[in-house]
Amino acid sequence: MLASLFDNAPLMIMLVGSLVGIASSLVGTFLVLRGVSMLSDAIGHSIVFGIVVVWLLTHQQSGPVQIVGAALTGLLTVFLTELLVSTRRVKKDAAIGLVFPVLFSAGVLLLNLYARDVHIDTHTVLLGEIGFVWLDTLTIGDYRVPQALVWMGAMTLINGAFVTLFYKELKIASFDEALAKALGLAPGVLFYLLLLLTSGTAVAAFDAVGAVLFVAFVIVPPSTAYLLTDRLWMMFIYGALVSIASSVSGYFLAVAWNVSIGGMMAVMTGVFLLLAFLVGPRYGMVAQALRRRGQRRVNEIRTLAVHLYNHEDGPEQWVENVTQALREHLLWDGAKANRVVERSCAAGLIERRGETLMLTAAGREMAREILEPTRNGTGSLTTTVS
């Protein structure tokens, strides 16, 4: 049964894509929260230098040595970036833009000078080809397992273990680095460990989706999750779900349209980000528009309550507290005045007595709290209007 699963090419492609996304989003969540997500782009390019150097030293094109060696290159990228920033003459974004092209260019030059006949090329590193992951296998027991599945499974477990073990420390360091230092949590060390794992994930992923598409998985699923929740642990869940959904939908769309599978997976992460941006339950544009409309309605009802209260029991009450007066004094057109009055009546805040609008006890209390916010020791009022 396991052998048939490992021989199922579509399943292996989607599974590898999902693992790349999950492993990437685990570390990418903290990069997004710290506002340094584009370091993944720098790492994704500069690992070419590490891959070539490791091959020159060991003649190994894959495996744990290649992952560790290239991961150290990612740390070198960050170290050089921080070194430039420490001079106070270069900003961080400019430093990133200076460092990774140098390392990437050095890797390309070494590749062309010393590894012309070796199956390591910039196209493979940058773009990968997830459609062929099921062909490159290794033997584990009695089964031939895709190498990409093994390495990405390992990186997913390692990243998951790291996040689980240091969850509290990473959370504090991401949201309040000064507090983390005061508590002796060594946020700098945690950050470099996080980037080491990011680099290792990039190397493990380049055969499958390539370094460029890896960046999409690092940044987009956590960013999508950030739009959907304020809870850190939920960000991991949403990030994993977006990664899986992007991999599955990306595969089937790529097959249907005969386009790049890895590219379509990355595109689908963008589609889910767009959906979260538009219709997210809390921060989506639609939800925000509905909240603004609801707040406008509440403010209109509050305005009406104050207007009626100011003229209540006065000699002008029978003239001012009518719908026609709202059009003149509050500058509301007839349709808006009628809508606000109907909503206020439905909320039990006013009642009609012929043409006159009268406040109920609840409406009168609302107006008093607006006009005298310190009367009950509070300056705020919560009103529910249906």
Side-chain angles (χ1 to χ4, degrees):
M1 181 178 177
L2 282 177
S4 63
L5 290 177
F6 291 135
D7 290 335
N8 188 326
L11 177 62
M12 291 298 101
I13 292 170
M14 289 184 285
L15 186 55
V16 169
S18 299
L19 289 175
V20 171
I22 294 171
S24 300
S25 64
L26 283 170
V27 292
T29 296
F30 294 105
L31 297 181
V32 169
L33 290 175
R34 294 175 68 106
V36 293
S37 56
M38 287 311 295
L39 276 176
S40 61
D41 185 37
I43 291 171
H45 284 79
S46 62
I47 59 171
V48 175
F49 177 76
I51 290 170
V52 177
V53 169
V54 170
W55 179 84
L56 291 174
L57 295 175
T58 66
H59 291 281
Q60 293 189 31
Q61 298 180 42
S62 61
V65 175
Q66 187 67 264
I67 291 177
V68 172
L72 291 176
T73 307
L75 288 186
L76 176 63
T77 303
V78 178
F79 174 76
L80 293 176
T81 300
E82 297 291 340
L83 192 63
L84 283 175
V85 173
S86 68
T87 65
R88 299 183 183 277
R89 303 300 295 271
V90 180
K91 293 185 177 180
K92 193 155 193 172
D93 55 347
I96 293 173
L98 290 170
V99 170
F100 87 76
V102 172
L103 292 178
F104 177 64
S105 300
V108 172
L109 288 174
L110 289 174
L111 192 63
N112 284 276
L113 288 173
Y114 302 108
R116 288 179 179 271
D117 301 323
V118 180
H119 184 58
I120 304 175
D121 57 69
T122 53
H123 175 83
T124 299
V125 172
L126 293 178
L127 302 179
E129 184 43 76
I130 195 171
F132 296 146
V133 294
W134 58 281
L135 295 174
D136 188 10
T137 62
L138 54 82
T139 301
I140 299 179
D142 297 327
Y143 305 102
R144 297 190 63 80
V145 185
Q147 287 198 45
L149 182 66
V150 174
W151 298 124
M152 287 315 308
M155 287 308 306
T156 301
L157 291 175
I158 293 171
N159 292 352
F162 176 74
V163 169
T164 302
L165 289 174
F166 298 101
Y167 178 81
K168 180 182 72 175
E169 292 82 358
L170 288 166
K171 182 177 181 180
I172 296 174
S174 297
F175 291 103
D176 194 336
E177 188 171 352
L179 176 60
K181 289 180 179 178
L183 295 175
L185 299 180
V189 175
L190 284 174
F191 182 54
Y192 273 93
L193 287 174
L194 183 69
L195 293 174
L196 180 65
L197 292 177
T198 303
S199 302
T201 305
V203 182
F206 85 83
D207 264 338
V209 300
V212 172
L213 299 179
F214 154 78
V215 175
F217 283 102
V218 172
I219 299 175
V220 184
S223 299
T224 304
Y226 188 69
L227 293 174
L228 296 175
T229 181
D230 290 328
R231 296 181 180 273
L232 180 57
W233 65 272
M234 283 298 295
M235 282 187 68
F236 296 121
I237 295 176
Y238 283 131
L241 291 175
V242 169
S243 299
I244 295 170
S246 299
S247 299
V248 174
S249 59
Y251 171 79
F252 285 109
L253 288 175
V255 171
W257 294 341
N258 193 27
V259 295
S260 167
I261 297 174
M264 184 53 68
M265 289 180 178
V267 167
M268 290 308 299
T269 64
V271 171
F272 286 112
L273 176 64
L274 179 62
L275 289 174
F277 179 71
L278 292 176
V279 297
R282 184 166 184 180
Y283 299 110
M285 293 184 66
V286 174
Q288 291 187 28
L290 291 174
R291 279 197 298 274
R292 286 193 295 269
R293 187 179 70 172
Q295 189 59 50
R296 281 198 301 270
R297 289 183 173 183
V298 170
N299 290 337
E300 290 166 355
I301 290 175
R302 289 158 64 95
T303 300
L304 175 59
V306 170
H307 174 81
L308 298 180
Y309 183 80
N310 284 334
H311 297 287
E312 192 174 48
D313 297 328
E316 72 279 8
Q317 174 180 358
W318 310 108
V319 177
E320 297 292 344
N321 290 4
V322 295
T323 305
Q324 180 63 36
L326 304 181
R327 304 171 189 172
E328 299 172 0
H329 295 283
L330 300 181
L331 302 180
W332 290 349
D333 59 50
K336 181 176 181 178
N338 288 328
R339 285 198 304 269
V340 177
V341 169
E342 291 301 325
R343 285 198 293 266
S344 299
C345 289
L349 299 174
I350 68 172
E351 59 187 11
R352 294 179 184 271
R353 292 184 184 175
E355 293 294 323
T356 306
L357 305 175
M358 306 292 293
L359 287 170
T360 64
R364 192 171 297 109
E365 180 65 19
M366 171 194 283
R368 287 173 180 168
E369 290 185 357
I370 295 171
L371 295 172
E372 306 171 34
T374 59
R375 181 167 59 90
N376 292 327
T378 177
S380 62
L381 175 67
T382 301
T383 305
T384 301
V385 180
S386 58

